[in-house]
């Protein structure tokens, strides 16, 4: 056998390996720490926020103030002694994010939904989601319309599904979006289940008789697809940022409500980069214009995220609650109770500071409430332990939460219908 054959074999092996793993960020050696943060320690840790390799996955105030932070191998050696020196408690909750990603990737195959029940067995890619919406429009012509509200940076259509069982275009609108943050995959799954139940389950017919539901199941499809193909932890849009090698803007820091005031980063490489200007992103512009266009009819706004397990209401840019917070809290508690009664885990209800122990300006919830003068604007943070919720658990989560959504629908019908 000639001596170059083993090299050729090795080369082929390397090419195969590269093709299989081409461009998919491995996250090998990345760890997730759960930090116990006291009020006076937040500023100290501020020096790390916005740095490359320091990615806050979630903050929670209840039961104890805590931050879940993914840290790159390079930063771990710097961070751990820093935490010890400043008496900040830290537990490793995921010792190797690479393993987490691998396990998830193996279990998620791209699927095309053929029927309603396929929907919740996996996380659908954006094309399959659009196909499902179009199939509903074709099958339920009197109930469903599918439209586009704009186009993303990469040229994808931003799809909206409108579900209306009456009212001749005059009913109050419940406006729902999901997937503004790319990696929060269970959020579009929740939106799809809401759509499925409103359209395909005839026992829910009355929910769309006095109320129209306008739902954008994936508000950031460029990011969503990128998180499926390249970087599972991608959060932002995929726009080019002037004078930076990093891409993307956090769309939930990009709305023109106290834009840039707090809880944002001006660094384009940060996960919470606010963008070069307010409404710099085609995705936030599309939602803004759609809402303004329907200003008189939109009475309720819900934006779906993960994974703090709560209903959050404005304001998000200050520790203060909106003046009508009592109404928002009461309704959210009723919705939460319905979820629990159906077997779901408790969803807390409170303002951003109360729930997340954190505030941030430029969010869609605050903008909607202030601009459309709404009483009800909520962020639903789906429950979970991280972004890689096993696909087998989707149904167990979304089915009871639909009962919370039902409470919202019934309330809007009663109050505005
Ligand atoms: O920080 C956010 O954008 C949301 N949490 S997440 O972990 N999904 O990123 C919370 C948004 C709460 N609302 C405002 N801050 N306006
Ligand atoms: Zn989010």
């Amino acid at each position: 056998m000639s001596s170059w054959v083993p090299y050729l074999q090795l080369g082929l092996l390397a090419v195969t390996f590269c093709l299989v793993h081409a461009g998919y960020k491995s996250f090998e050696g990345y760890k997730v720490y759960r930090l116990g943060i006291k009020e006076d320690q937040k500023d100290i840790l501020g020096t790390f926020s916005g740095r490359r390799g320091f990615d806050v996955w979630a903050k929670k105030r209840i039961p104890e103030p805590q931050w879940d932070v993914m840290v790159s191998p390079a930063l771990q050696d710097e961070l751990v002694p820093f935490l010890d020196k400043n008496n900040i408690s830290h537990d490793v909750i995921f010792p190797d994010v690479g393993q987490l990603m691998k396990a998830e990737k193996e279990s998620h195959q791209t699927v095309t939904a053929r029927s309603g029940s396929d929907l919740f067995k996996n996380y659908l890619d954006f094309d399959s989601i659009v196909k499902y919406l179009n199939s509903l429009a074709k099958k339920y012509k009197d109930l469903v319309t599918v439209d586009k509200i704009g186009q993303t940076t990469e040229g994808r259509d931003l799809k909206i599904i409108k579900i209306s069982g009456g009212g001749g275009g005059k009913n109050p609108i419940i406006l729902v979006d999901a997937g503004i943050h790319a990696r929060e995959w269970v959020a579009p799954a929740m939106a799809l289940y809401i759509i499925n139940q409103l359209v395909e389950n005839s026992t829910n017919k009355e929910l769309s008789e006095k109320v129209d539901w306008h739902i954008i199941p994936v508000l950031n499809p460029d990011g969503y697809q990128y998180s499926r193909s390249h970087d599972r932890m991608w959060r932002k849009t995929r726009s080019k940022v002037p004078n930076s090698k990093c891409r993307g803007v956090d769309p939930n820091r990009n709305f023109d409500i106290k834009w840039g005031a707090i809880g944002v980063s001006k660094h384009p490489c940060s996960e919470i980069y606010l963008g070069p200007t307010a409404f710099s992103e085609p995705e936030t512009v599309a939602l803004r214009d759609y809402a303004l266009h329907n200003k008189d009819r939109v009475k309720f706004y819900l934006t779906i995220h993960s994974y703090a397990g709560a209903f959050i209401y404005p304001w998000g840019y200050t520790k203060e609650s909106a003046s009508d917070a009592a109404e928002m809290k009461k309704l959210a508690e009723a919705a939460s109770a319905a979820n629990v009664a159906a077997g779901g885990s408790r969803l807390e209800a409170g303002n951003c500071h109360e729930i997340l122990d954190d505030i941030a300006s430029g969010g869609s919830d605050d903008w909607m409430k202030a601009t459309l003068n709404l009483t009800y604007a909520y962020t639903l943070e789906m429950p979970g332990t991280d972004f890689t919720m096993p696909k087998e658990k989707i149904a167990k989560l979304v089915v009871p939460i639909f009962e919370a959504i039902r409470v919202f629908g019934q309330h809007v019908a009663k109050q505005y219908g």
Side-chain angles (χ1 to χ4, degrees), residues 181 184 235 252-253 305-306 316 352 356 360 363 365-366 379 381:
H181 285 147
E184 298 167 10
R235 166 179 166 102
N252 216 30
R253 302 289 180 276
H305 290 245
S306 79
C352 191
L356 302 181
D365 48 2
D366 285 357
T379 295
E381 289 270 354

Side-chain angles (χ1 to χ4, degrees), residues 156-167:
R156 294 186 174 86
D157 284 347
L158 286 166
K159 293 287 186 183
I160 189 164
I161 180 166
K162 304 175 197 177
I163 304 161
S164 173

Side-chain angles (χ1 to χ4, degrees), residues 16-17 24 26 66 73 78 90 99-100 116 124 143 146 157 186 253 257 273 275 290 302 326 392 407:
T16 314
F17 182 83
Y24 203 81
S26 81
Q66 69 187 38
E78 197 183 325
H90 51 92
Q99 285 304 323
L100 199 68
L124 300 192
L143 187 64
V146 174
D157 284 347
V186 75
R253 302 289 180 276
I257 174 89
Y273 175 51
Y290 190 77
L302 178 72
E392 293 77 16
V407 169

